Each structure stands twice: as structure tokens, then as C-alpha cells.
Amino acid sequence: SCFRQSTDIDMDGFDDDASPANGNFTPIPLFSGVYNGENHEIKNLSIALTGTAKEFVAPILLLEGSEDAPAELNGIILTAPSISNLAPAAVLSPTGGLVAKTTANARITACSVKGGSVSGQYVQLVGGVVGQALGSRQIAGCVNDGCTVTGNNSVGGIAGQSSALSMTDCHNTGTVISNAYAGGICGNLIPPGTIGYCYNTGAVTCQGKTNPGTGGIIGRAYGSNDVVCTIDGCFNTGTV
């Protein structure tokens, strides 16, 4: 299925389930098609849910296509979102401004999050655009433009955790705060993850004393003799 957004959408004053405590938008469990936002805005979208290891938090919980027909998001602009994972204790629960988790057959290109916040005080895997990108074909040209991203572990301005084959031409100006593994672009980079030609100007803060892992581009990267992470042509001017 293919979708095209033809105008700006303002969620202010709208609630799809008449329950304001959980925000104004019910997450999409799985998206396997193609969505072209055509650089139109989606404004004031809000979600406030208690995430678990099986229950993620984001407008789209899982982005997954097939080898022949990858799922794709392109040209989406989220303005002033409020995405909150209310988990009361430490949990691995992917949380993202746009997508919680992607798998191998997915692409996110030219998408932006402007202002607002993505948060999960006790949550691992929190990203301004995507919480956890596992083997994604491509994350390219994505921007965090002043969105504050906070979490407990593996927190990034663009992605909380990434093993994407290609993560390129992304940049972050938002504040990133974590207790472990905080990065301006990606909190935790897993091989064979690649980050190229990305930059960060936002402040990155790691408040934890154990596994602090703080960096302008990534908080943590690891590999082996056979499988490595690659970072090329990136720079940081933000406070770390």
C-alpha cells in the first residue's frame, strides 16, 4: 500500500479515542507500505503509554516490509510531538519520535522531528526518529531539529540503537540525555553498523556513573576482527 500526504495535519484538539491521558494518537502496530509525507507537517501529535519489552511506544511501532517490497517512510515532518514512554522501571522498550523499531526490509529517508520531546525515564533504546533500527536498509537524510530526547540507556538524537547497513546524511540539533550510552546521532552502534556524513550540534549528556559512554556522534560502538562498525565524514560541535 502507498500513501501520500497532501497537506499539513494539526492534531491539536483531536483525540482518536477520547482519552486524553494517553495522548491524542493511537500507535500503528505495523506499517509495511510506503508513506510519502511530501514535506508536509504533522503537528502536535502526542502519545503517553506504558511500554514493556513487548509493547513499544511511537507513532509507528514496527516498520517492516519484505525483500521485494521494503517498507518506506519519506518526507515526513513531525512538529512539536510529545512521545512519552511511562514505564515505571528499567525496561528495554524501543521508543521513537516516528518509529519504535525497524527490521531488515525498511527505509526511513528525509524525515524530520522538529521541537517537542521523546522521553522514557527508565527506558532503553530511545531515539529522536527511531528507537531501534535493526538491519534497516537505509536511514538517510533524517533530522532532529531541536527535539529533546531522554532515556535511561542507548539514547540518540536520531536513533537509540542502530545496526543499519547505512545511516547517512543525518543531523541532530536536539538535546540528548541518558544514564548510559548517549550519542548525538546514535546511542549504541552495533556492527555492521555504518554512519556516514552525519553531524551533531546538540548538547549530549550522560548522567550515569556506570557505562557512561557519551559522544557527539555515538555513545558506544563495538565490533570484532570480522565485523566492524564504520564512522566516516562525521563531525560534532555540540557540548558533550
Side-chain angles (χ1 to χ4, degrees):
S1 299
C2 296
F3 302 88
R4 181 175 66 89
Q5 185 176 333
S6 60
T7 189
D8 292 347
I9 298 170
D10 193 343
M11 303 286 288
D12 188 31
F14 173 82
D15 192 338
D16 65 359
D17 66 358
S19 178
N22 62 12
N24 60 21
F25 183 79
T26 300
I28 299 167
L30 169 66
F31 186 77
S32 300
V34 176
Y35 189 104
N36 189 343
E38 297 205 339
N39 295 319
H40 292 294
E41 292 181 283
I42 300 174
K43 305 175 184 178
N44 301 308
L45 184 150
S46 64
I47 298 171
L49 296 171
T50 300
T52 69
K54 295 183 178 180
E55 299 290 335
F56 310 151
V57 178
I60 297 172
L61 302 184
L62 179 63
L63 183 68
E64 181 177 50
S66 66
E67 186 173 350
D68 294 332
E72 183 172 352
L73 304 178
N74 178 67
I76 298 171
I77 300 174
L78 289 181
T79 299
S82 176
I83 312 296
S84 301
N85 189 327
L86 305 176
V91 63
L92 193 156
S93 177
T95 301
L98 182 57
V99 178
K101 182 177 181 178
T102 69
T103 58
N105 297 304
R107 282 196 283 259
I108 304 175
T109 58
C111 291
S112 302
V113 180
K114 299 170 63 176
S117 63
V118 180
S119 64
Q121 181 178 358
Y122 300 103
V123 177
Q124 183 174 344
L125 309 179
V126 183
V129 176
V130 56
Q132 184 180 35
L134 294 181
S136 301
R137 290 193 179 191
Q138 185 182 47
I139 298 174
C142 291
V143 177
N144 175 340
D145 184 5
C147 175
T148 299
V149 186
T150 59
N152 184 48
N153 188 310
S154 299
V155 180
I158 302 295
Q161 181 187 78
S162 176
S163 60
L165 297 181
S166 175
M167 191 172 179
T168 58
D169 298 307
C170 297
H171 71 265
N172 171 63
T173 68
T175 298
V176 177
I177 302 171
S178 180
N179 289 320
Y181 308 141
I185 299 298
C186 179
N188 192 356
L189 182 64
I190 298 174
T194 298
I195 296 180
Y197 304 101
C198 296
Y199 69 89
N200 172 67
T201 61
V204 181
T205 302
C206 196
Q207 300 174 327
K209 296 180 180 179
T210 304
N211 298 326
T214 311
I217 301 300
I218 59 169
R220 178 197 191 206
Y222 64 93
S224 66
N225 290 334
D226 299 321
V227 184
V228 298
C229 294
T230 302
I231 302 170
D232 182 42
C234 299
F235 70 89
N236 169 68
T237 61
T239 302
V240 178

PDB file of all heavy atoms in Angstrom, residues 195-225:
ATOM      1  N   ILE A 195      27.825   4.710   9.915  1.00  0.00           N
ATOM      2  CA  ILE A 195      27.343   6.083   9.993  1.00  0.00           C
ATOM      3  C   ILE A 195      28.252   6.946   9.133  1.00  0.00           C
ATOM      4  O   ILE A 195      29.473   6.963   9.324  1.00  0.00           O
ATOM      5  CB  ILE A 195      27.332   6.604  11.443  1.00  0.00           C
ATOM      6  CG1 ILE A 195      26.333   5.801  12.287  1.00  0.00           C
ATOM      7  CG2 ILE A 195      26.968   8.086  11.483  1.00  0.00           C
ATOM      8  CD1 ILE A 195      26.254   6.230  13.731  1.00  0.00           C
ATOM      9  N   GLY A 196      27.665   7.638   8.174  1.00  0.00           N
ATOM     10  CA  GLY A 196      28.468   8.444   7.276  1.00  0.00           C
ATOM     11  C   GLY A 196      27.896   9.828   7.050  1.00  0.00           C
ATOM     12  O   GLY A 196      26.686   9.986   6.889  1.00  0.00           O
ATOM     13  N   TYR A 197      28.765  10.846   7.092  1.00  0.00           N
ATOM     14  CA  TYR A 197      28.417  12.219   6.742  1.00  0.00           C
ATOM     15  C   TYR A 197      27.240  12.733   7.577  1.00  0.00           C
ATOM     16  O   TYR A 197      26.323  13.367   7.069  1.00  0.00           O
ATOM     17  CB  TYR A 197      28.137  12.324   5.236  1.00  0.00           C
ATOM     18  CG  TYR A 197      29.311  11.821   4.435  1.00  0.00           C
ATOM     19  CD1 TYR A 197      29.285  10.547   3.876  1.00  0.00           C
ATOM     20  CD2 TYR A 197      30.455  12.602   4.295  1.00  0.00           C
ATOM     21  CE1 TYR A 197      30.385  10.059   3.180  1.00  0.00           C
ATOM     22  CE2 TYR A 197      31.558  12.117   3.599  1.00  0.00           C
ATOM     23  CZ  TYR A 197      31.516  10.842   3.044  1.00  0.00           C
ATOM     24  OH  TYR A 197      32.608  10.350   2.378  1.00  0.00           O
ATOM     25  N   CYS A 198      27.303  12.442   8.862  1.00  0.00           N
ATOM     26  CA  CYS A 198      26.309  12.945   9.818  1.00  0.00           C
ATOM     27  C   CYS A 198      26.988  13.963  10.736  1.00  0.00           C
ATOM     28  O   CYS A 198      28.201  13.932  10.924  1.00  0.00           O
ATOM     29  CB  CYS A 198      25.742  11.802  10.664  1.00  0.00           C
ATOM     30  SG  CYS A 198      24.808  10.558   9.741  1.00  0.00           S
ATOM     31  N   TYR A 199      26.187  14.855  11.314  1.00  0.00           N
ATOM     32  CA  TYR A 199      26.779  15.783  12.265  1.00  0.00           C
ATOM     33  C   TYR A 199      25.801  16.115  13.385  1.00  0.00           C
ATOM     34  O   TYR A 199      24.590  15.965  13.242  1.00  0.00           O
ATOM     35  CB  TYR A 199      27.272  17.061  11.588  1.00  0.00           C
ATOM     36  CG  TYR A 199      26.203  17.982  11.039  1.00  0.00           C
ATOM     37  CD1 TYR A 199      25.639  18.981  11.838  1.00  0.00           C
ATOM     38  CD2 TYR A 199      25.779  17.882   9.720  1.00  0.00           C
ATOM     39  CE1 TYR A 199      24.675  19.837  11.337  1.00  0.00           C
ATOM     40  CE2 TYR A 199      24.816  18.736   9.214  1.00  0.00           C
ATOM     41  CZ  TYR A 199      24.266  19.714  10.024  1.00  0.00           C
ATOM     42  OH  TYR A 199      23.309  20.563   9.528  1.00  0.00           O
ATOM     43  N   ASN A 200      26.370  16.556  14.497  1.00  0.00           N
ATOM     44  CA  ASN A 200      25.594  16.911  15.677  1.00  0.00           C
ATOM     45  C   ASN A 200      26.021  18.269  16.198  1.00  0.00           C
ATOM     46  O   ASN A 200      27.216  18.562  16.293  1.00  0.00           O
ATOM     47  CB  ASN A 200      25.799  15.871  16.788  1.00  0.00           C
ATOM     48  CG  ASN A 200      25.153  16.306  18.094  1.00  0.00           C
ATOM     49  OD1 ASN A 200      23.936  16.381  18.189  1.00  0.00           O
ATOM     50  ND2 ASN A 200      25.970  16.601  19.095  1.00  0.00           N
ATOM     51  N   THR A 201      25.029  19.100  16.535  1.00  0.00           N
ATOM     52  CA  THR A 201      25.309  20.369  17.196  1.00  0.00           C
ATOM     53  C   THR A 201      24.575  20.480  18.535  1.00  0.00           C
ATOM     54  O   THR A 201      24.676  21.495  19.207  1.00  0.00           O
ATOM     55  CB  THR A 201      24.902  21.568  16.304  1.00  0.00           C
ATOM     56  OG1 THR A 201      23.493  21.512  16.044  1.00  0.00           O
ATOM     57  CG2 THR A 201      25.662  21.539  14.986  1.00  0.00           C
ATOM     58  N   GLY A 202      23.829  19.449  18.899  1.00  0.00           N
ATOM     59  CA  GLY A 202      23.062  19.471  20.141  1.00  0.00           C
ATOM     60  C   GLY A 202      23.903  19.033  21.335  1.00  0.00           C
ATOM     61  O   GLY A 202      24.916  18.348  21.193  1.00  0.00           O
ATOM     62  N   ALA A 203      23.469  19.423  22.524  1.00  0.00           N
ATOM     63  CA  ALA A 203      24.149  19.022  23.760  1.00  0.00           C
ATOM     64  C   ALA A 203      23.848  17.565  24.064  1.00  0.00           C
ATOM     65  O   ALA A 203      22.704  17.112  23.963  1.00  0.00           O
ATOM     66  CB  ALA A 203      23.700  19.901  24.916  1.00  0.00           C
ATOM     67  N   VAL A 204      24.890  16.808  24.430  1.00  0.00           N
ATOM     68  CA  VAL A 204      24.748  15.396  24.771  1.00  0.00           C
ATOM     69  C   VAL A 204      25.234  15.204  26.200  1.00  0.00           C
ATOM     70  O   VAL A 204      26.384  15.540  26.523  1.00  0.00           O
ATOM     71  CB  VAL A 204      25.560  14.499  23.816  1.00  0.00           C
ATOM     72  CG1 VAL A 204      25.371  13.030  24.168  1.00  0.00           C
ATOM     73  CG2 VAL A 204      25.151  14.751  22.362  1.00  0.00           C
ATOM     74  N   THR A 205      24.381  14.650  27.056  1.00  0.00           N
ATOM     75  CA  THR A 205      24.704  14.494  28.476  1.00  0.00           C
ATOM     76  C   THR A 205      24.447  13.064  28.906  1.00  0.00           C
ATOM     77  O   THR A 205      23.377  12.515  28.637  1.00  0.00           O
ATOM     78  CB  THR A 205      23.851  15.438  29.345  1.00  0.00           C
ATOM     79  OG1 THR A 205      24.076  16.782  28.941  1.00  0.00           O
ATOM     80  CG2 THR A 205      24.199  15.284  30.815  1.00  0.00           C
ATOM     81  N   CYS A 206      25.433  12.474  29.592  1.00  0.00           N
ATOM     82  CA  CYS A 206      25.254  11.157  30.200  1.00  0.00           C
ATOM     83  C   CYS A 206      25.372  11.323  31.708  1.00  0.00           C
ATOM     84  O   CYS A 206      26.410  11.732  32.209  1.00  0.00           O
ATOM     85  CB  CYS A 206      26.296  10.181  29.671  1.00  0.00           C
ATOM     86  SG  CYS A 206      25.881   8.469  30.000  1.00  0.00           S
ATOM     87  N   GLN A 207      24.301  11.011  32.418  1.00  0.00           N
ATOM     88  CA  GLN A 207      24.242  11.282  33.850  1.00  0.00           C
ATOM     89  C   GLN A 207      24.673  10.097  34.699  1.00  0.00           C
ATOM     90  O   GLN A 207      24.829  10.223  35.904  1.00  0.00           O
ATOM     91  CB  GLN A 207      22.812  11.690  34.223  1.00  0.00           C
ATOM     92  CG  GLN A 207      22.331  12.943  33.502  1.00  0.00           C
ATOM     93  CD  GLN A 207      20.873  13.255  33.753  1.00  0.00           C
ATOM     94  OE1 GLN A 207      20.055  12.358  33.927  1.00  0.00           O
ATOM     95  NE2 GLN A 207      20.535  14.539  33.750  1.00  0.00           N
ATOM     96  N   GLY A 208      24.867   8.938  34.086  1.00  0.00           N
ATOM     97  CA  GLY A 208      25.202   7.736  34.845  1.00  0.00           C
ATOM     98  C   GLY A 208      26.681   7.642  35.156  1.00  0.00           C
ATOM     99  O   GLY A 208      27.529   8.184  34.445  1.00  0.00           O
ATOM    100  N   LYS A 209      26.996   6.914  36.216  1.00  0.00           N
ATOM    101  CA  LYS A 209      28.382   6.709  36.615  1.00  0.00           C
ATOM    102  C   LYS A 209      28.918   5.380  36.096  1.00  0.00           C
ATOM    103  O   LYS A 209      30.126   5.156  36.045  1.00  0.00           O
ATOM    104  CB  LYS A 209      28.504   6.773  38.134  1.00  0.00           C
ATOM    105  CG  LYS A 209      28.153   8.135  38.716  1.00  0.00           C
ATOM    106  CD  LYS A 209      28.295   8.156  40.223  1.00  0.00           C
ATOM    107  CE  LYS A 209      27.948   9.526  40.793  1.00  0.00           C
ATOM    108  NZ  LYS A 209      28.068   9.562  42.275  1.00  0.00           N
ATOM    109  N   THR A 210      28.032   4.469  35.721  1.00  0.00           N
ATOM    110  CA  THR A 210      28.409   3.174  35.180  1.00  0.00           C
ATOM    111  C   THR A 210      28.119   3.168  33.684  1.00  0.00           C
ATOM    112  O   THR A 210      27.054   3.589  33.251  1.00  0.00           O
ATOM    113  CB  THR A 210      27.619   2.045  35.860  1.00  0.00           C
ATOM    114  OG1 THR A 210      27.828   2.123  37.262  1.00  0.00           O
ATOM    115  CG2 THR A 210      28.086   0.682  35.357  1.00  0.00           C
ATOM    116  N   ASN A 211      29.058   2.679  32.873  1.00  0.00           N
ATOM    117  CA  ASN A 211      28.898   2.648  31.412  1.00  0.00           C
ATOM    118  C   ASN A 211      28.460   3.999  30.861  1.00  0.00           C
ATOM    119  O   ASN A 211      27.429   4.092  30.195  1.00  0.00           O
ATOM    120  CB  ASN A 211      27.864   1.578  31.018  1.00  0.00           C
ATOM    121  CG  ASN A 211      28.300   0.200  31.428  1.00  0.00           C
ATOM    122  OD1 ASN A 211      29.480  -0.116  31.408  1.00  0.00           O
ATOM    123  ND2 ASN A 211      27.353  -0.635  31.807  1.00  0.00           N
ATOM    124  N   PRO A 212      29.213   5.072  31.152  1.00  0.00           N
ATOM    125  CA  PRO A 212      28.732   6.389  30.750  1.00  0.00           C
ATOM    126  C   PRO A 212      28.595   6.543  29.245  1.00  0.00           C
ATOM    127  O   PRO A 212      27.587   7.057  28.764  1.00  0.00           O
ATOM    128  CB  PRO A 212      29.778   7.344  31.328  1.00  0.00           C
ATOM    129  CG  PRO A 212      30.992   6.512  31.525  1.00  0.00           C
ATOM    130  CD  PRO A 212      30.514   5.144  31.849  1.00  0.00           C
ATOM    131  N   GLY A 213      29.600   6.146  28.469  1.00  0.00           N
ATOM    132  CA  GLY A 213      29.521   6.118  27.025  1.00  0.00           C
ATOM    133  C   GLY A 213      28.848   7.316  26.381  1.00  0.00           C
ATOM    134  O   GLY A 213      27.709   7.217  25.945  1.00  0.00           O
ATOM    135  N   THR A 214      29.537   8.429  26.291  1.00  0.00           N
ATOM    136  CA  THR A 214      28.946   9.655  25.762  1.00  0.00           C
ATOM    137  C   THR A 214      29.747  10.144  24.567  1.00  0.00           C
ATOM    138  O   THR A 214      30.975  10.186  24.616  1.00  0.00           O
ATOM    139  CB  THR A 214      28.953  10.757  26.840  1.00  0.00           C
ATOM    140  OG1 THR A 214      28.431  10.231  28.055  1.00  0.00           O
ATOM    141  CG2 THR A 214      28.115  11.945  26.397  1.00  0.00           C
ATOM    142  N   GLY A 215      29.055  10.536  23.483  1.00  0.00           N
ATOM    143  CA  GLY A 215      29.776  11.037  22.327  1.00  0.00           C
ATOM    144  C   GLY A 215      28.937  11.955  21.469  1.00  0.00           C
ATOM    145  O   GLY A 215      27.704  11.855  21.451  1.00  0.00           O
ATOM    146  N   GLY A 216      29.589  12.846  20.767  1.00  0.00           N
ATOM    147  CA  GLY A 216      28.881  13.774  19.896  1.00  0.00           C
ATOM    148  C   GLY A 216      28.164  13.070  18.757  1.00  0.00           C
ATOM    149  O   GLY A 216      27.089  13.490  18.336  1.00  0.00           O
ATOM    150  N   ILE A 217      28.739  11.989  18.249  1.00  0.00           N
ATOM    151  CA  ILE A 217      28.113  11.218  17.175  1.00  0.00           C
ATOM    152  C   ILE A 217      27.493   9.943  17.731  1.00  0.00           C
ATOM    153  O   ILE A 217      26.307   9.678  17.521  1.00  0.00           O
ATOM    154  CB  ILE A 217      29.133  10.876  16.067  1.00  0.00           C
ATOM    155  CG1 ILE A 217      29.726  12.169  15.480  1.00  0.00           C
ATOM    156  CG2 ILE A 217      28.467  10.040  14.968  1.00  0.00           C
ATOM    157  CD1 ILE A 217      28.699  13.101  14.856  1.00  0.00           C
ATOM    158  N   ILE A 218      28.280   9.115  18.439  1.00  0.00           N
ATOM    159  CA  ILE A 218      27.745   7.890  19.042  1.00  0.00           C
ATOM    160  C   ILE A 218      28.169   7.799  20.501  1.00  0.00           C
ATOM    161  O   ILE A 218      29.199   8.338  20.902  1.00  0.00           O
ATOM    162  CB  ILE A 218      28.217   6.632  18.296  1.00  0.00           C
ATOM    163  CG1 ILE A 218      29.747   6.547  18.308  1.00  0.00           C
ATOM    164  CG2 ILE A 218      27.687   6.596  16.878  1.00  0.00           C
ATOM    165  CD1 ILE A 218      30.279   5.226  17.828  1.00  0.00           C
ATOM    166  N   GLY A 219      27.365   7.103  21.280  1.00  0.00           N
ATOM    167  CA  GLY A 219      27.723   6.868  22.671  1.00  0.00           C
ATOM    168  C   GLY A 219      28.592   5.641  22.843  1.00  0.00           C
ATOM    169  O   GLY A 219      29.485   5.586  23.686  1.00  0.00           O
ATOM    170  N   ARG A 220      28.326   4.636  21.999  1.00  0.00           N
ATOM    171  CA  ARG A 220      29.065   3.386  22.102  1.00  0.00           C
ATOM    172  C   ARG A 220      29.076   2.702  20.738  1.00  0.00           C
ATOM    173  O   ARG A 220      28.084   2.709  20.014  1.00  0.00           O
ATOM    174  CB  ARG A 220      28.390   2.462  23.123  1.00  0.00           C
ATOM    175  CG  ARG A 220      29.047   1.101  23.295  1.00  0.00           C
ATOM    176  CD  ARG A 220      28.082   0.157  23.976  1.00  0.00           C
ATOM    177  NE  ARG A 220      28.713  -1.073  24.406  1.00  0.00           N
ATOM    178  CZ  ARG A 220      28.061  -2.232  24.551  1.00  0.00           C
ATOM    179  NH1 ARG A 220      26.769  -2.294  24.278  1.00  0.00           N
ATOM    180  NH2 ARG A 220      28.680  -3.314  24.953  1.00  0.00           N
ATOM    181  N   ALA A 221      30.227   2.094  20.406  1.00  0.00           N
ATOM    182  CA  ALA A 221      30.331   1.260  19.204  1.00  0.00           C
ATOM    183  C   ALA A 221      31.264   0.110  19.529  1.00  0.00           C
ATOM    184  O   ALA A 221      32.242   0.281  20.259  1.00  0.00           O
ATOM    185  CB  ALA A 221      30.870   2.052  18.021  1.00  0.00           C
ATOM    186  N   TYR A 222      30.961  -1.052  19.000  1.00  0.00           N
ATOM    187  CA  TYR A 222      31.852  -2.181  19.221  1.00  0.00           C
ATOM    188  C   TYR A 222      31.833  -3.087  18.003  1.00  0.00           C
ATOM    189  O   TYR A 222      30.953  -3.023  17.170  1.00  0.00           O
ATOM    190  CB  TYR A 222      31.471  -2.949  20.483  1.00  0.00           C
ATOM    191  CG  TYR A 222      30.112  -3.607  20.429  1.00  0.00           C
ATOM    192  CD1 TYR A 222      29.970  -4.927  20.008  1.00  0.00           C
ATOM    193  CD2 TYR A 222      28.972  -2.916  20.809  1.00  0.00           C
ATOM    194  CE1 TYR A 222      28.728  -5.527  19.953  1.00  0.00           C
ATOM    195  CE2 TYR A 222      27.719  -3.520  20.761  1.00  0.00           C
ATOM    196  CZ  TYR A 222      27.614  -4.829  20.342  1.00  0.00           C
ATOM    197  OH  TYR A 222      26.386  -5.415  20.293  1.00  0.00           O
ATOM    198  N   GLY A 223      32.843  -3.939  17.903  1.00  0.00           N
ATOM    199  CA  GLY A 223      32.930  -4.856  16.782  1.00  0.00           C
ATOM    200  C   GLY A 223      33.957  -5.925  17.085  1.00  0.00           C
ATOM    201  O   GLY A 223      34.356  -6.128  18.225  1.00  0.00           O
ATOM    202  N   SER A 224      34.388  -6.618  16.036  1.00  0.00           N
ATOM    203  CA  SER A 224      35.392  -7.663  16.176  1.00  0.00           C
ATOM    204  C   SER A 224      36.293  -7.617  14.946  1.00  0.00           C
ATOM    205  O   SER A 224      36.142  -6.756  14.077  1.00  0.00           O
ATOM    206  CB  SER A 224      34.709  -9.030  16.288  1.00  0.00           C
ATOM    207  OG  SER A 224      34.058  -9.355  15.071  1.00  0.00           O
ATOM    208  N   ASN A 225      37.226  -8.558  14.873  1.00  0.00           N
ATOM    209  CA  ASN A 225      38.113  -8.598  13.712  1.00  0.00           C
ATOM    210  C   ASN A 225      37.340  -8.864  12.426  1.00  0.00           C
ATOM    211  O   ASN A 225      37.764  -8.470  11.337  1.00  0.00           O
ATOM    212  CB  ASN A 225      39.185  -9.670  13.902  1.00  0.00           C
ATOM    213  CG  ASN A 225      40.188  -9.296  14.984  1.00  0.00           C
ATOM    214  OD1 ASN A 225      40.392  -8.116  15.247  1.00  0.00           O
ATOM    215  ND2 ASN A 225      40.792 -10.287  15.614  1.00  0.00           N
TER     216      ASN A 225
END
